[in-house]
Amino acid sequence: MYQLDKTTVAKKRSPPVKVLSSQLRTAQSQGAAGSGDCWVIRPGKGRSLPVSLVWMQGTVMEAPLDTNTVLLMDETGTFAVQGVNNVPKGKPCLSQGKYVMVMGVIQAVSPEPVIRAVKMADLSALAALHRRMWKLEVEELQQVLT
């Protein structure tokens, strides 16, 4: 019979969950003594959703050339993205004012959400459309998942 190695199971992550920065600010740590491996957001009354890998979108506010971190802002607030120099094609899309998507692992939620980037993409070509649709996409996915 097929058996999974415990380390393989422990390292496996769920697919990314679309979230807003305000939802991460109020997230609560779930797991061993606040290890931060998994967080719980509250997308609505009586609903909870565990997340560790997130998909976020926002406008680049600060992108210092000499750091590995950028500051983004969505419609609910700001969040920091670390590790941008390690993401293929990540750095070119990081100039102030560009609208980008980022997938990453939650590093911290307070006082400001911080995620470690895994993937990034420039959405500036259709930024107006992406901005209008983003909150609806987040709400729809979270309703399906809870």
Side-chain angles (χ1 to χ4, degrees):
M1 174 161 255
Y2 182 76
Q3 287 187 319
L4 290 176
D5 183 330
K6 286 183 183 181
T7 57
T8 303
V9 173
K11 290 182 181 181
K12 183 177 167 137
R13 293 194 185 270
S14 299
V17 176
K18 296 177 181 182
V19 297
L20 301 171
S21 62
S22 61
Q23 292 176 309
L24 285 187
R25 267 188 205 82
T26 59
Q28 296 177 330
S29 180
Q30 174 182 332
S35 64
D37 289 341
C38 188
W39 300 85
V40 176
I41 62 169
R42 307 270 180 229
K45 290 186 176 188
R47 297 185 309 164
S48 63
L49 181 61
V51 297
S52 59
L53 186 62
V54 295
W55 173 335
M56 299 178 78
Q57 292 181 190
T59 303
V60 178
M61 303 303 292
E62 296 175 10
L65 296 175
D66 58 341
T67 69
N68 199 20
T69 302
V70 296
L71 183 67
L72 300 182
M73 183 170 75
D74 66 13
E75 64 184 73
T76 65
T78 58
F79 58 100
V81 180
Q82 298 176 334
V84 296
N85 295 336
N86 305 329
V87 178
K89 300 181 184 179
K91 199 68 172 177
C93 69
L94 293 176
S95 56
Q96 192 170 1
K98 290 214 175 196
Y99 190 76
V100 300
M101 69 76 71
V102 60
M103 277 189 221
V105 180
I106 301 169
Q107 301 296 295
V109 297
S110 180
E112 177 176 76
V114 177
I115 63 172
R116 182 178 36 84
V118 174
K119 179 181 179 176
M120 299 186 76
D122 185 356
L123 303 178
S124 299
L126 297 171
L129 175 65
H130 288 295
R131 279 188 184 101
R132 279 196 314 266
M133 297 300 295
W134 181 240
K135 191 170 184 182
L136 298 172
E137 290 179 34
V138 171
E139 289 172 0
E140 180 182 42
L141 178 66
Q142 290 179 4
Q143 283 178 356
V144 168
L145 294 175
T146 57

